[in-house]
Amino acid sequence: MTRESPLNTRGETFFLNLRFMLIVTVFVANAIEPLIQEMSGLHTLYQWIFSFHMPLFVLVTGYFARSSLHGAPGRKVLLQIALQYVIFQSLYSLLDASLFHVNNIQHSFFAPYLLLWFLASHICWRLLMLGMSRWTVSAQLAFAVTAGVAVGYLQLDGIWFSISRTFVYLPFFVIGYHFSFGAFVKLYQRYVKSIAAAASLLLLLALSLLDGNLPIGWLYGSMTYMQLGAHEWYAGLFRLAVYGLQFIASLAFLGLVPYGLSRMTGLGRRTLYVFLLHGFVVRTAVISGLYTYISNSAGAALLLAGAVGCTVLLAQPAVRRLLNPLVEPSVEWMISLQRAAIRRSL
């Protein structure tokens, strides 16, 4: 058995810390979304979160994917993601029809339900990386950026098959897959890291001064240029500009992430539970009428605290023990069926 290098261990710790901080922002963004049109401060926070949280979440996913992309481990992960998608697409759609009654939702396995686009896209990112495995890193990144720009020109609704977000966020998956933590640590020394952290907070301040004028639709990554109202041939240049903003915002936010091992690191190992389950919490809060009581900064602060608290709660080991069969379903039976089918065909 080979010993894991200290640098690899530090890299895993850093990315687990980052992953937990990102899932906090995911929960917060979804929790405050019903109020962003009424409360300018929450709108600013929402825009700031969307400038970096999904690009970095995809980057982290790419970073951890390199240990399980190929061979039997890779096939097992793909099967598990597909099963998770089927389970939670069915659950959310069933509860939406019977309890949540959310408007303008496409109930189809070909149109991922809200946050479940990430599962559909994750499968595609892994398959695309397998297809590009013989290419150079430069060629992979060039293709990813080109595809991310080109997909916006398609004359279709970008939510189907999660096609828009799959290609829009592909560059960040490629970057994460090839991410060098050693080079990152050399760059993000004490003062550089502090400057990056300050830049992230300055971006939050700048967005507040813009007073909601940043076109948030471009940060979602889910819409084509036609849906965004950009019908000009050069609309792809706007996508490149958004990439620039997201790249800078992501680099800045990394300055806020601690390197050291802490309780946050353990919570970062269980972010999948927060990701797949928090939608039920937010939907329940909406139908309960909770948001009608939030009309001032004190109420907004309590909402933010509640979102952070629920994130910590859903990332507890007890939740994992209780809901493991649902969130991380076994796929051994599917692998056994595959093997049996292969033996029969020989």
Side-chain angles (χ1 to χ4, degrees):
M1 180 184 295
T2 57
R3 294 181 60 188
E4 189 175 18
S5 72
L7 190 61
N8 288 339
T9 303
R10 284 189 69 199
E12 180 179 345
T13 298
F14 177 82
F15 276 99
L16 287 172
N17 291 340
L18 171 60
R19 195 159 72 179
F20 178 72
M21 292 175 69
L22 291 174
I23 201 62
V24 169
T25 65
V26 170
F27 204 140
V28 166
N30 288 329
I32 67 176
E33 186 175 11
L35 297 172
I36 60 175
Q37 299 304 321
E38 288 78 31
M39 306 183 75
S40 60
L42 292 183
H43 193 196
T44 297
L45 178 61
Y46 186 79
Q47 290 181 317
W48 178 70
I49 288 172
F50 264 90
S51 70
F52 64 81
H53 82 314
M54 291 319 303
L56 279 180
F57 221 122
V58 177
L59 186 147
V60 171
T61 303
Y63 180 84
F64 284 110
R66 56 187 175 187
S67 63
S68 61
L69 186 70
H70 300 275
R75 289 191 293 273
K76 184 175 181 179
V77 170
L78 285 173
L79 287 173
Q80 188 168 62
I81 297 171
L83 188 54
Q84 288 166 340
Y85 178 78
V86 171
I87 291 172
F88 281 90
Q89 181 80 357
S90 301
L91 280 175
Y92 273 107
S93 294
L94 179 63
L95 286 175
D96 185 41
S98 62
L99 183 63
F100 298 145
H101 302 297
V102 182
N103 297 321
N104 301 318
I105 297 291
Q106 296 281 356
H107 294 288
S108 168
F109 281 105
F110 301 107
Y113 187 94
L114 299 178
L115 56 90
L116 298 182
W117 71 267
F118 196 92
L119 296 181
S121 291
H122 190 183
I123 292 173
C124 295
W125 293 326
R126 283 175 166 268
L127 294 175
L128 286 165
M129 282 303 300
L130 286 171
M132 297 187 294
S133 60
R134 296 182 180 274
W135 299 4
T136 65
V137 177
S138 298
Q140 291 176 5
L141 191 55
F143 169 79
V145 173
T146 302
V149 172
V151 73
Y153 290 102
L154 296 180
Q155 302 295 303
L156 49 76
D157 190 330
I159 68 167
W160 293 102
F161 304 101
S162 189
I163 186 170
S164 181
R165 279 171 163 158
T166 293
F167 287 103
V168 166
Y169 289 118
L170 180 59
F172 297 99
F173 190 86
V174 173
I175 293 171
Y177 187 82
H178 296 289
F179 192 91
S180 170
F181 184 71
F184 173 78
V185 170
K186 288 181 181 178
L187 175 63
Y188 271 53
Q189 296 296 334
R190 179 178 177 183
Y191 296 109
V192 173
K193 194 170 187 294
S194 298
I195 291 170
S200 185
L201 299 178
L202 284 173
L203 175 61
L204 178 60
L205 176 61
L207 289 173
S208 69
L209 296 176
L210 283 174
D211 195 25
N213 290 324
L214 180 68
I216 192 68
W218 285 89
L219 298 179
Y220 290 150
S222 59
M223 293 181 279
T224 62
Y225 303 142
M226 176 181 64
Q227 291 174 300
L228 289 166
H231 302 283
E232 300 84 359
W233 65 267
Y234 52 82
L237 296 178
F238 297 141
R239 175 76 72 205
L240 289 174
V242 171
Y243 274 149
L245 170 63
Q246 291 175 321
F247 188 70
I248 293 170
S250 297
L251 286 176
F253 185 79
L254 290 177
L256 297 169
V257 183
Y259 288 125
L261 190 68
S262 67
R263 291 186 64 185
M264 184 191 300
T265 312
L267 295 172
R269 296 183 185 277
R270 296 180 291 275
T271 55
L272 178 63
Y273 288 77
V274 186
F275 184 75
L276 291 178
L277 298 172
H278 82 279
F280 297 119
V281 179
V282 175
R283 286 284 183 248
T284 302
V286 171
I287 66 169
S288 71
L290 173 68
Y291 287 95
T292 60
Y293 297 99
I294 303 174
S295 58
N296 53 39
S297 57
L302 287 174
L303 177 64
L304 293 174
V308 175
C310 286
T311 304
V312 174
L313 179 64
L314 290 176
Q316 292 302 308
V319 175
R320 184 174 190 172
R321 287 193 298 269
L322 180 64
L323 297 177
N324 178 265
L326 180 68
V327 177
E328 297 181 274
S330 173
V331 294
E332 295 302 326
W333 61 275
M334 298 174 71
I335 295 173
S336 298
L337 288 176
Q338 282 184 334
R339 290 172 178 167
I342 292 172
R343 285 197 297 269
R344 285 197 298 269
S345 66
L346 294 178

